[in-house]
Amino acid sequence: MTTAISPTTQELGEYPPGQDPLPSWNEGSAKRSIINFVRGVTTTGDAHFVKPEERIAVFDNDGTLWSEMPAYFQAAFVIDRLKALAPQHPEWKDKPLYSAALQGDMKTVAAGGLRGVMELVAITHAGMTTDEFAKIVEEWITTARHPKFNRPYTDLIYQPMLELLIYLRANGFKTFIVSGGGVEFMRVWADKVYGIPPEQVIGSSIVTKFEMLAGVPVLTRQPELNFMDDNVGKPVAINLHVGRRPIVACGNSDGDLQMLQWTAAGTGLRFGLLVRHTDSVREYAYDVSPLGRLDKALAEAGTKGWTVVDMKQDWKRVYPFETGK
Amino acid sequence: MTTAISPTTQELGEYPPGQDPLPSWNEGSAKRSIINFVRGVTTTGDAHFVKPEERIAVFDNDGTLWSEMPAYFQAAFVIDRLKALAPQHPEWKDKPLYSAALQGDMKTVAAGGLRGVMELVAITHAGMTTDEFAKIVEEWITTARHPKFNRPYTDLIYQPMLELLIYLRANGFKTFIVSGGGVEFMRVWADKVYGIPPEQVIGSSIVTKFEMLAGVPVLTRQPELNFMDDNVGKPVAINLHVGRRPIVACGNSDGDLQMLQWTAAGTGLRFGLLVRHTDSVREYAYDVSPLGRLDKALAEAGTKGWTVVDMKQDWKRVYPFETGK
């Protein structure tokens, strides 16, 4: 249960000068709630103390650790891959789904439903070995540019959330990504960008198959969904991959609700956080994204005492490349 | 590729007196190959040096880290659970599969094939929440006794392999279990017994489902196989859960062959190990177990240069409770 902050820690939202662990966070209730929580679970003798090995923190990725507008960044990868493959597939011109995707018309693609999206994912994500796919992602992530900011997508991570990851790890936490994004898409760059190693990245996956190609064992990627790591899938995946219930869960949409519920329902002090996109100038302002909403989780945050981060108010800096103000 | 040991390390199979990292291993080629490998990949400047974060070691469990005779220990759990549930199921008496299992007649059970085994697994492993199942396993593992040794099953771990786990971790390795056994069965005790935390235990699994029971979020265990972590499934699971290729793989049967092949096929120095059960006095002597064989992996060990451990010759002590000789 998420319970009231312990009396022994509730007034501790301060830190020695020059030692602010979250310098890109403005002073306020969100920042204070993080610091109070961490002090509570890490202070020996505190009623809320949690052993280091049980300090598991899970983070959604799209919209929580990096931006997700104007579309999930992995969708941009899909479109760029389709464009690269199109010359070998002249027949795509006559297929509405493909021609819409090639023109970046995401509305038409989305209108085709999950089946259409999965078909595009299959054609761009399958039919190669895992090693080959990793190379394709590596090349894309280092060369592709975000349409609004004209920067690599990995520049568009949230500096305050990066500080939160580092702060938690400095306090004995193990940090995990639990994302609807593709696990083998994220692993290529997550360690470099967030300091989260491959074995702590959980995501959606397609089927892979062990095969011998000319005497060499490979894993080939099949055009078939293995697991969708969203909504009810998130607690299922956490249980399968981590095998412990987290004490911290951070998300930004209703797709993260079950992960927050599952985390909050454990015994002892728990911390839930929702990032709310309120900054149309520095980032984007929306509670409804192309593929997600935030109404149910936001309503439950109120009753459960989860921390709602108002990006515009709570973040001094959004991206690492900005100068703090 | 598994290549010849580097010239700079091939004569290094010694250690200062009193600092033997593997005291339950007899001197010989198996012990020497382990120590040479670890020195090669951990010595800065050595041609085979591997960065700590890439030092991934995977271990099969049944027959590799603990005994698997006269049947997989999890099979004993299944039978004990069936016995506990039988009073509520008088109809089982008329079902050959169930009555065979209740009498411990594993031959008849095995003759029923995988479908029969899965039915028994479903009835004993599903129909409760993940928390409830963990409690059932916890109670069983602390009270059940092995028929030959009359000791808790967790006493029947191999002391030399425990030393290998500890030695690897002391040298910066992350150790994982990759077993055909049930992941939620092993996680209950693997940390206490092997020092391997839940998030580093990979195994077979059944489907779990996120549900709200009286307003409380739970994961309920369904009578349906999710993933069989054996044979070709092992490299698939390693890729899905770890996302890095191991540099050490240890097994004891053909069910581990693909995991060893996948590990050995990476670039740089790799270490493959097969435990061979040759000790009918202290443990058991067999190359063919009720559910597995060792002929293909053994043949490939010869050509690939994997280390074959002859339990009778190579191990000074098999179980922790024995006195060394």
Side-chain angles (χ1 to χ4, degrees):
Chain A
M1 298 297 155
T2 302
T3 54
I5 298 291
S6 144
T8 58
T9 55
Q10 66 186 351
E11 301 304 335
L12 289 174
E14 303 88 34
Y15 27 79
Q19 292 180 37
D20 182 354
L22 301 170
S24 297
W25 292 71
N26 288 318
E27 302 306 319
S29 61
K31 180 172 183 171
R32 205 157 48 235
S33 73
I34 294 170
I35 290 174
N36 282 337
F37 171 81
V38 171
R39 290 195 181 162
V41 297
T42 59
T43 303
T44 317
D46 190 284
H48 299 298
F49 180 77
V50 174
K51 288 181 290 184
E53 63 267 28
E54 298 285 346
R55 295 181 200 157
I56 303 290
V58 292
F59 289 80
D60 170 59
N61 184 43
D62 297 303
T64 300
L65 293 180
W66 73 355
S67 287
E68 60 179 350
M69 285 293 192
Y72 290 157
F73 295 173
Q74 196 169 353
F77 169 75
V78 168
I79 289 168
D80 286 349
R81 284 302 299 158
L82 284 175
K83 285 179 183 165
L85 295 169
Q88 301 147 250
H89 295 275
E91 76 278 9
W92 285 355
K93 279 183 197 126
D94 306 322
K95 293 185 172 181
L97 176 70
Y98 287 79
S99 62
L102 286 167
Q103 290 160 38
D105 173 6
M106 299 311 284
K107 265 194 182 167
T108 303
V109 171
L114 188 63
R115 175 182 288 218
V117 172
M118 280 311 300
E119 189 178 329
L120 298 179
V121 168
I123 206 104
T124 52
H125 285 64
M128 71 287 278
T129 69
T130 50
D131 287 347
E132 287 163 351
F133 182 71
K135 272 181 209 144
I136 292 168
V137 174
E138 174 76 40
E139 198 195 316
W140 182 83
I141 202 81
T142 50
T143 55
R145 293 290 179 276
H146 186 276
K148 175 174 167 182
F149 294 95
N150 192 30
R151 286 177 169 274
Y153 288 98
T154 49
D155 278 9
L156 302 178
I157 61 171
Y158 303 134
Q159 176 65 25
M161 295 304 285
L162 189 60
E163 291 169 6
L164 176 55
L165 286 170
I166 293 167
Y167 177 49
L168 289 174
R169 292 196 292 257
N171 280 280
F173 282 78
K174 217 174 215 182
T175 53
F176 289 81
I177 289 175
V178 179
S179 168
V183 64
E184 299 206 65
F185 175 80
M186 296 184 286
R187 277 176 174 158
V188 172
W189 46 266
D191 200 0
K192 207 178 296 174
V193 171
Y194 302 131
I196 298 181
E199 61 269 26
Q200 286 160 228
V201 178
I202 301 166
S204 297
S205 56
I206 61 176
V207 171
T208 62
K209 196 174 161 192
F210 180 85
E211 292 181 293
M212 282 287 177
L213 289 188
V216 178
V218 295
L219 293 171
T220 53
R221 294 170 57 81
Q222 308 294 312
E224 186 189 339
L225 181 68
N226 177 59
F227 186 78
M228 181 62 85
D229 187 29
D230 202 18
N231 299 292
V232 293
K234 291 201 174 192
V236 167
I238 292 169
N239 185 59
L240 186 63
H241 288 256
V242 186
R244 308 189 200 250
R245 197 189 292 246
I247 65 169
V248 170
C250 304
N252 81 308
S253 83
D254 288 352
D256 304 311
L257 175 57
Q258 291 83 357
M259 173 171 91
L260 269 88
Q261 289 172 329
W262 173 247
T263 299
T267 52
L269 197 63
R270 306 278 157 155
F271 188 77
L273 181 148
L274 286 171
V275 173
R276 199 169 178 190
H277 299 267
T278 52
D279 196 321
S280 62
V281 177
R282 296 183 301 173
E283 205 237 8
Y284 295 91
Y286 62 95
D287 276 339
V288 180
S289 75
L291 291 161
R293 311 179 58 91
L294 179 63
D295 47 354
K296 285 183 195 153
L298 207 52
E300 196 152 332
T303 60
K304 294 274 179 71
W306 299 334
T307 294
V308 177
V309 174
D310 180 322
M311 199 178 265
K312 189 174 176 181
Q313 298 297 326
D314 289 319
W315 287 358
K316 201 174 288 177
R317 201 149 67 128
V318 174
Y319 298 125
F321 57 81
E322 285 171 24
T323 311
K325 58 178 181 183
Chain B
M1 298 294 156
T2 303
T3 55
I5 298 291
S6 145
T8 58
T9 55
Q10 66 186 349
E11 302 304 335
L12 289 174
E14 303 86 35
Y15 26 79
Q19 291 180 37
D20 182 355
L22 301 171
S24 298
W25 292 71
N26 287 319
E27 300 307 319
S29 61
K31 180 172 182 171
R32 205 159 47 234
S33 73
I34 295 169
I35 290 173
N36 282 338
F37 170 82
V38 171
R39 289 196 182 161
V41 297
T42 60
T43 303
T44 316
D46 190 286
H48 299 296
F49 180 77
V50 174
K51 288 181 290 183
E53 62 269 28
E54 297 286 347
R55 295 181 199 156
I56 302 291
V58 292
F59 289 79
D60 169 60
N61 184 43
D62 298 301
T64 300
L65 293 180
W66 73 356
S67 287
E68 59 180 351
M69 285 292 192
Y72 290 154
F73 295 173
Q74 196 169 354
F77 169 75
V78 168
I79 289 169
D80 286 350
R81 284 302 299 159
L82 284 174
K83 285 179 182 164
L85 296 168
Q88 300 146 251
H89 295 274
E91 75 280 9
W92 286 356
K93 278 184 197 125
D94 306 321
K95 293 185 173 182
L97 176 70
Y98 287 78
S99 63
L102 285 167
Q103 289 159 39
D105 174 5
M106 298 312 283
K107 263 194 182 167
T108 302
V109 171
L114 187 62
R115 176 182 288 219
V117 172
M118 280 311 300
E119 188 178 330
L120 297 179
V121 168
I123 206 102
T124 52
H125 285 64
M128 72 287 278
T129 69
T130 49
D131 287 348
E132 287 163 354
F133 182 71
K135 272 182 209 145
I136 291 168
V137 174
E138 174 77 40
E139 197 193 318
W140 182 83
I141 203 79
T142 50
T143 56
R145 293 291 180 273
H146 186 276
K148 176 174 168 182
F149 294 95
N150 192 31
R151 287 177 168 273
Y153 287 98
T154 48
D155 279 9
L156 302 178
I157 62 171
Y158 303 135
Q159 176 65 25
M161 296 304 285
L162 189 60
E163 291 168 7
L164 176 55
L165 286 170
I166 292 166
Y167 177 48
L168 290 174
R169 291 195 292 257
N171 280 280
F173 281 78
K174 216 172 215 182
T175 54
F176 289 81
I177 289 175
V178 180
S179 167
V183 64
E184 299 207 63
F185 176 79
M186 296 183 286
R187 278 177 173 157
V188 172
W189 45 267
D191 199 0
K192 208 178 294 176
V193 170
Y194 302 131
I196 298 181
E199 61 270 26
Q200 287 161 225
V201 178
I202 300 167
S204 297
S205 56
I206 60 175
V207 172
T208 62
K209 196 174 162 191
F210 179 85
E211 291 181 293
M212 283 287 177
L213 290 188
V216 178
V218 294
L219 293 171
T220 53
R221 294 171 56 82
Q222 307 296 311
E224 186 189 338
L225 181 67
N226 177 59
F227 186 78
M228 181 62 86
D229 187 29
D230 202 19
N231 300 293
V232 294
K234 290 200 175 194
V236 167
I238 291 168
N239 184 60
L240 186 64
H241 288 256
V242 186
R244 306 189 200 250
R245 197 189 293 249
I247 66 169
V248 170
C250 304
N252 80 309
S253 83
D254 288 351
D256 303 312
L257 176 57
Q258 291 83 358
M259 172 170 91
L260 269 88
Q261 289 172 329
W262 174 247
T263 299
T267 53
L269 197 63
R270 306 277 156 156
F271 189 77
L273 182 149
L274 286 171
V275 173
R276 199 168 178 189
H277 299 266
T278 53
D279 196 321
S280 62
V281 176
R282 296 182 300 173
E283 206 237 8
Y284 295 91
Y286 62 96
D287 277 338
V288 179
S289 75
L291 290 162
R293 311 178 60 90
L294 179 63
D295 47 355
K296 284 181 195 154
L298 208 52
E300 197 152 330
T303 59
K304 294 274 178 73
W306 299 335
T307 293
V308 177
V309 174
D310 181 322
M311 198 178 266
K312 189 172 175 181
Q313 297 298 327
D314 289 319
W315 288 358
K316 201 175 286 177
R317 201 149 66 127
V318 174
Y319 297 125
F321 57 80
E322 286 171 22
T323 311
K325 57 177 181 184

